[in-house]
């Protein structure tokens, strides 16, 4: 399956991270297997810090893809390469270096903390694990710098238990923890979805500042197209584990091609009380037994309003529809 060159046509370009044809199968009840992620490919350049967003509804395979990129879940097939090396074939030392350079920020900051320890313990443990400081005074300096980078003061964050911090403070502390190792890439899984709406833009702006200041790239996982548009350079829209449309964020969102992506964009509310929706946006319902019918065809067949006979029997390949824009839909196949 043509993956769509996510970084341009220069095949000699060196990449920081390459996810090639990632597929992950899980065993369901009854002994059958289903593909949570099906043939996902993307690349993050080495020199230019880039934000790639994985966007889709719950169950689309976004988090599973992120876990494979982090090396926490082994793919059924496909590879994840960091600096040209398969992360699942690395030596213990190489993988330690990879984990230092590829950090994670998860959705619920509270679950990461042990409520019996003070919140700053996660910073101290990170410094110790990756041997970032040779003395206590050096460790304190690193912590102070990391807190400053995420707009926290030691008085706000240190010597307090997790429940004494707000959700925004806990998430900023998680960003500071990731920042301690000076990572090249951060996998951020819904990092602002559990933060008050008033604080989301502030945290995203902090992350964008760190991208520019420290040349950090992000694999950003979200279900929110508005946040993806604000934060990202590139987008991959996933549906049931499949990459249905990808490319430059502005190209994809300003001119969507796939019926699923078109409907997603139409469903975004416009913040104007004078403008009201004039039509209902509705997909055809689907159950798991129907999904078997289209297992060899388009994954969206059972819910697509413009499906044709070929969609039932043949899986569409990603084809170029713009300068930096790819879609998997038979409507645009040559």
């Amino acid at each position: 399956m043509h993956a769509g060159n996510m970084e341009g046509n220069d095949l000699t370009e060196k990449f920081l991270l390459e996810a090639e044809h990632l597929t992950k199968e899980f065993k369901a009840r009854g002994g059958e297997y289903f593909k949570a992620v099906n043939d996902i490919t993307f690349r993050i350049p080495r020199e230019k810090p880039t934000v790639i967003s994985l966007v889709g509804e719950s169950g689309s395979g976004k988090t599973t893809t992120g876990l494979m990129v982090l090396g926490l879940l082994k793919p059924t097939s496909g590879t994840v390469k960091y600096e040209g090396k398969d992360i699942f074939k690395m030596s213990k030392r190489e993988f330690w270096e990879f984990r230092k350079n590829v950090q994670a920020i998860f959705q619920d900051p509270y679950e990461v903390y042990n409520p019996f320890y003070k919140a700053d313990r996660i910073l101290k443990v990170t410094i110790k694990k990756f041997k970032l400081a040779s003395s206590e005074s050096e460790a304190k300096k690193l912590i102070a710098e990391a807190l400053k980078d995420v707009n926290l003061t030691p008085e706000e964050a240190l010597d307090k238990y997790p429940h004494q911090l707000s959700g925004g403070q806990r998430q900023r502390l998680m960003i500071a923890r990731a920042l301690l190792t000076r990572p090249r890439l951060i996998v951020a899984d819904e990092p602002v979805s559990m933060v008050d709406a008033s604080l989301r833009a502030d945290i995203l702006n902090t992350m964008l500042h760190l991208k520019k200041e420290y040349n950090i790239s992000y694999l950003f996982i979200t279900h929110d197209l508005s946040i993806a548009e604000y934060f990202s350079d590139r987008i991959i829209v996933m549906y049931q584990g499949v990459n249905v449309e990808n490319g430059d964020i502005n190209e994809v969102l300003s001119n969507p091609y796939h019926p699923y992506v078109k409907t997603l964009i139409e469903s975004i509310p416009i913040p104007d009380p004078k403008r009201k929706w004039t039509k209902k946006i509705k997909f055809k319902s689907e159950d798991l037994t129907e999904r078997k019918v289209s297992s060899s065809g388009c994954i969206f067949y059972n819910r697509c309003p413009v499906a044709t006979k070929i969609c039932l029997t043949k899986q569409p390949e990603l084809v170029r529809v713009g300068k930096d824009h790819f879609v998997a839909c038979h409507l645009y196949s040559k």
Side-chain angles (χ1 to χ4, degrees):
M1 179 176 177
H2 185 277
N5 188 348
M6 293 288 294
E7 304 301 337
N9 295 320
D10 183 7
L11 298 179
T12 64
E13 181 179 356
K14 300 298 183 181
F15 298 102
L16 178 69
L17 185 128
E18 301 166 86
E20 300 283 353
H21 304 292
L22 285 181
T23 296
K24 182 62 183 180
E25 293 183 350
F26 290 104
K27 193 172 185 178
R29 290 181 180 179
E32 294 186 356
Y33 286 85
F34 70 96
K35 290 181 179 179
V37 175
N38 187 1
D39 198 18
I40 295 294
T41 292
F42 59 88
R43 301 177 184 90
I44 296 175
R46 178 185 291 171
E47 301 302 329
K48 181 183 178 182
T50 301
V51 179
I52 295 180
S53 278
L54 300 181
V55 178
E57 58 193 57
S58 295
S60 62
K62 307 183 303 295
T63 294
T64 301
T65 301
L67 291 174
M68 287 190 285
V69 168
L70 286 166
L72 300 177
L73 188 65
K74 192 170 184 178
T76 305
S77 62
T79 59
V80 179
K81 292 181 180 179
Y82 178 78
E83 295 280 15
K85 294 183 179 180
D86 187 332
I87 66 171
F88 293 100
K89 295 180 180 179
M90 287 180 169
S91 66
K92 189 174 181 180
R93 174 68 191 182
E94 287 173 333
F95 191 76
W96 180 86
E97 192 67 29
F98 164 77
R99 292 298 297 122
K100 180 180 177 181
N101 286 296
V102 180
Q103 289 286 308
I105 303 170
F106 295 110
Q107 180 177 8
D108 186 353
Y110 195 77
E111 285 191 355
V112 179
Y113 297 92
N114 185 327
F116 295 102
Y117 292 100
K118 292 181 179 178
D120 58 343
R121 182 174 183 267
I122 63 166
L123 303 177
K124 296 175 181 177
V125 167
T126 300
I127 289 173
K128 182 178 179 180
K129 179 178 180 180
F130 292 105
K131 302 175 182 178
L132 303 177
S134 56
S135 65
E136 188 174 341
S137 61
E138 188 179 354
K140 287 181 178 179
K141 183 180 178 182
L142 287 175
I143 289 173
E145 290 174 352
L147 292 177
K148 183 179 179 182
D149 280 325
V150 298
N151 298 320
L152 280 177
T153 65
E155 292 74 27
E156 287 178 294
L158 305 183
D159 205 36
K160 290 185 177 181
Y161 288 94
H163 71 272
Q164 295 176 306
L165 302 175
S166 69
Q169 287 174 325
R170 287 195 292 266
Q171 196 61 294
R172 285 181 181 279
L173 202 57
M174 290 308 302
I175 298 171
R177 179 205 59 76
L179 194 61
L180 280 171
T181 66
R182 289 293 185 265
R184 305 283 302 280
L185 172 67
I186 291 177
V187 178
D189 189 352
E190 301 273 14
V192 295
S193 64
M194 298 189 71
V195 177
D196 289 346
S198 60
L199 297 175
R200 288 176 188 172
D202 196 29
I203 290 177
L204 291 173
N205 286 336
T206 296
M207 293 172 70
L208 286 173
H209 168 73
L210 298 176
K211 172 193 172 189
K212 183 178 180 181
E213 183 74 15
Y214 298 115
N215 292 322
I216 297 173
S217 292
Y218 293 92
L219 180 63
F220 189 77
I221 296 168
T222 182
H223 65 276
D224 192 321
L225 280 171
S226 299
I227 289 177
E229 182 178 21
Y230 181 80
F231 189 69
S232 313
D233 302 303
R234 314 186 57 75
I235 186 172
I236 299 173
V237 182
M238 298 179 67
Y239 180 76
Q240 290 184 14
V242 174
N243 173 0
V244 296
E245 192 162 354
N246 73 68
D248 175 82
I249 186 76
N250 296 316
E251 279 196 54
V252 173
L253 297 187
S254 64
N255 190 23
Y257 279 78
H258 198 280
Y260 174 65
V261 182
K262 286 182 178 181
T263 307
L264 281 182
I265 292 173
E266 288 174 3
S267 70
I268 298 174
I270 298 170
D272 184 350
K274 295 179 182 179
R275 297 184 62 179
K276 296 182 179 180
W277 273 323
T278 57
K279 65 177 181 178
K280 289 185 177 180
I281 296 172
K282 190 176 181 180
F283 283 134
K284 289 188 290 184
S285 61
E286 179 193 36
D287 60 43
L288 294 177
T289 58
E290 287 179 322
R291 194 177 299 179
K292 295 177 185 177
V293 175
S294 60
S295 60
S296 61
C298 176
I299 199 73
F300 193 56
Y301 174 81
N302 288 314
R303 304 181 76 185
C304 183
V306 293
T308 61
K309 287 184 179 180
I310 192 173
C311 304
L312 179 62
T313 58
K314 184 180 179 182
Q315 184 178 352
E317 294 185 356
L318 282 164
V319 295
R320 186 189 295 273
V321 290
K323 181 181 179 182
D324 188 9
H325 190 175
F326 301 84
V327 66
C329 181
H330 287 302
L331 290 176
Y332 311 102
S333 299
K334 296 180 181 179

